[in-house]
């Protein structure tokens, strides 16, 4: 008997309905290709939360060639038929999910993975990505460079805000924090310094391998691997906190005095900000021309050249404000930089320099900088509302952000203000927070005060407020 097209359609429909009512049904949907950050909408990914990264990296500085295997443990937050990872550049050779080959494709910074079996909501799964190639350097909207930066004797991975996707796949947004294990192999004679604790180091066949473990949650933009020649030192503070420094030999003499003050700075910071949130501290000091900026990489900040003490204070303060309490989105950058800048003011005040009030007054009066344009730039936009991605690290985020904190200090008094600093760090320890969380916290902590004028004029207001 000849089968008509109508019968073929009916048969196909019946087969599809049978599949939906039994085993093998595809009920999941693809996870989002970003978390809709207001400035970096493709950063991060939806549909899952990452709990742990296990990165196995090998780098050849002469050929600028990176080989990597990333094993990522995550939990699905919806039923997933596919999910995305952020990875810019590099060649992906293989992807598996739970040990089974997965299909994948690339589009821009998105690596889309289609597992052989869909993932159930709440399921913990492991995805392995094998990749290699020459990592790219990413130019930010403000023209600064991040990602994987070649240096005079190696390379350094700097990730803020999205650069980590240049050297390992992941969910690269501060709202998805995870623990890490990193294994890095480099030519003998060089070393690889990373975050957390050094758990092993060995040399074999002309290659040196270092392993590092980070047991506290860490946002990917403060992960680092610094490859080069290092003079390393390990010691402890009076409270027993491990300190690990790695310094390019050409910067050793210039860095010795300021790095020797790390225990003093840490004691001061703990007194002001509360218990230190991580298992160790320290610093990485590279050559002056190796990067254009310092960065608060977790546990040990990165510096291009020997820092002065105030810069050291700034980057160590970030361990509380920015690393432990991370921004919910990049719009909340002032919660990082305003706090770290105000830490500088407090340090100078406590060391017998300008008081925080004197610094505030100079900024308000336009006498802080020698350059008139620099003084005017403070009022370009409200610290809580940078106009675009290009301005998330601009002067209002730092200096006017610190001025907001000083206005709160004026309102509540010194003792209550230090309580606010400690309490904020404690309430969101190892988590994320946004500006609304902060204003609500301040109002809850000081219910008898009216902060309306501070929020309207200093935090969200346009231009220079009429009175200091």
């Amino acid at each position: 008997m000849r089968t008509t097209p109508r019968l073929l359609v009916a048969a196909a429909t019946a087969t599809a309905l049978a599949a939906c009512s039994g085993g093998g049904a595809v009920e999941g949907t693809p996870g989002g290709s970003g978390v809709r950050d207001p400035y970096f909408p493709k950063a991060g990914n939806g549909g899952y939360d990452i709990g742990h990264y296990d990165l196995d990296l090998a780098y050849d500085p002469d050929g600028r060639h990176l080989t990597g295997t990333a094993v990522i443990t995550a939990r699905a937050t919806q039923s997933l038929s596919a999910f995305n990872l952020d990875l810019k550049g590099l060649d992906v050779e293989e992807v598996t999910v739970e040990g089974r080959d997965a299909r994948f494709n690339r589009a821009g910074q998105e690596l889309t993975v289609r597992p052989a079996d869909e993932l159930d909501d709440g399921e913990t799964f492991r995805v392995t990505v094998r990749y290699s190639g020459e990592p790219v350097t990413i130019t930010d909207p403000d023209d600064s460079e991040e990602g994987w930066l070649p240096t005079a004797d190696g390379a350094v991975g700097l990730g803020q805000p999205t650069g980590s996707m240049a050297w390992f796949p992941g969910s690269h947004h501060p709202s998805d924090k995870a623990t890490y294990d990193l294994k890095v192999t480099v030519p003998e004679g060089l070393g690889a310094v990373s975050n957390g604790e050094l758990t092993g180091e060995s040399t074999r066949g002309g290659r040196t391998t270092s392993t590092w473990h980070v047991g506290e949650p860490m946002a990917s933009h403060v992960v680092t691997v610094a490859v080069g020649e290092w003079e390393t030192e390990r010691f402890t503070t009076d409270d027993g906190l491990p300190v690990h420094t790695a310094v390019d030999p050409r910067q050793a003499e210039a860095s010795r005095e300021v790095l020797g003050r790390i225990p003093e700075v840490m004691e001061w910071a703990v007194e002001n900000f509360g218990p230190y949130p991580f298992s160790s501290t320290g610093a990485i000091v590279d050559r002056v021309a190796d990067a254009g900026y310092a960065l608060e990489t977790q546990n040990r900040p990165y510096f291009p050249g020997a820092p002065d003490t105030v810069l050291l204070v700034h980057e160590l303060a970030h361990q509380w404000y920015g690393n432990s309490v991370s921004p919910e989105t990049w719009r909340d950058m002032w919660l990082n930089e305003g706090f770290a800048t105000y830490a500088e003011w407090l340090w100078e005040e406590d060391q017998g320099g300008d008081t925080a009030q004197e610094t505030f007054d100079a900024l308000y009066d336009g006498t802080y900088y020698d350059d008139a344009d620099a003084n005017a730039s403070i009022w370009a936009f409200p610290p809580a509302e940078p106009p675009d991605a290009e301005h998330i690290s601009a002067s209002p985020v730092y200096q006017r952000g610190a001025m907001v904190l000083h206005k709160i200090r004026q309102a509540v008094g010194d003792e209550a203000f230090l309580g606010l600093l400690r309490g904020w760090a404690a309430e969101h320890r190892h988590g994320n927070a946004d500006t609304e969380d902060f204003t609500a916290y301040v109002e809850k902590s000081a219910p008898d005060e009216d902060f309306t004028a501070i929020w309207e004029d200093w935090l969200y207001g346009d231009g220079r407020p009429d009175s200091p």
Side-chain angles (χ1 to χ4, degrees), residues 128-174:
T128 301
V129 182
R130 303 185 192 280
Y131 59 97
S132 63
E134 182 177 343
V136 299
T137 297
I138 296 172
T139 301
D140 279 341
D142 65 0
D143 290 331
S144 62
E145 293 186 337
E146 56 176 285
W148 191 262
L149 307 180
T151 61
D153 56 354
V156 60
L158 298 177
Q160 186 173 285
T162 63
S164 294
M165 66 180 175
W167 54 283
F168 69 96
S171 183
H172 292 301
H173 189 267

Side-chain angles (χ1 to χ4, degrees), residues 9 19 26 67 77 91 114 122 143 183 188 215 217 222 239 256 262 268 293 317 408 413 436 441 458:
V9 172
V26 178
T67 301
T77 57
D91 299 317
R114 294 175 175 80
D143 290 331
K183 178 181 178 182
E188 185 176 0
V222 289
D239 292 335
R256 187 165 291 114
I262 289 177
W268 172 87
Y293 52 88
I408 296 170
E436 289 185 3
Y441 173 78
W458 292 89

Side-chain angles (χ1 to χ4, degrees), residues 305-319:
D308 60 25
T309 306
V310 172
L311 181 57
L312 179 69
V313 168
H314 181 104
E315 303 302 344
L316 290 178
H318 270 311
Q319 306 305 307

Side-chain angles (χ1 to χ4, degrees), residues 65-120:
H65 188 268
L66 178 72
T67 301
T69 299
V71 181
I72 300 168
T73 304
R75 181 181 60 83
T77 57
Q78 67 179 65
S79 294
L80 287 170
S81 60
F83 59 91
N84 283 29
L85 297 167
D86 301 318
L87 182 65
K88 189 174 181 66
L90 300 170
D91 299 317
V92 176
E93 292 139 13
E94 180 186 41
V95 180
T96 63
V97 178
E98 288 298 289
R100 299 187 64 187
D101 287 343
R103 291 180 296 145
F104 63 90
N105 67 279
R106 308 287 299 279
Q109 71 183 57
E110 300 297 327
L111 168 62
T112 301
V113 178
R114 294 175 175 80
D117 298 311
E118 82 166 39
L119 301 167
D120 294 331

Side-chain angles (χ1 to χ4, degrees), residues 364 457-458 463-468:
Y364 184 82
D457 296 342
W458 292 89
R464 180 174 176 266
D466 292 336
S467 59

Side-chain angles (χ1 to χ4, degrees), residues 263-284:
E264 176 191 357
V265 173
M266 291 300 297
E267 180 181 2
W268 172 87
V270 168
E271 181 179 344
N272 284 275
F273 311 140
Y276 182 61
F278 302 118
S279 57
S280 67
T281 189
I284 302 168

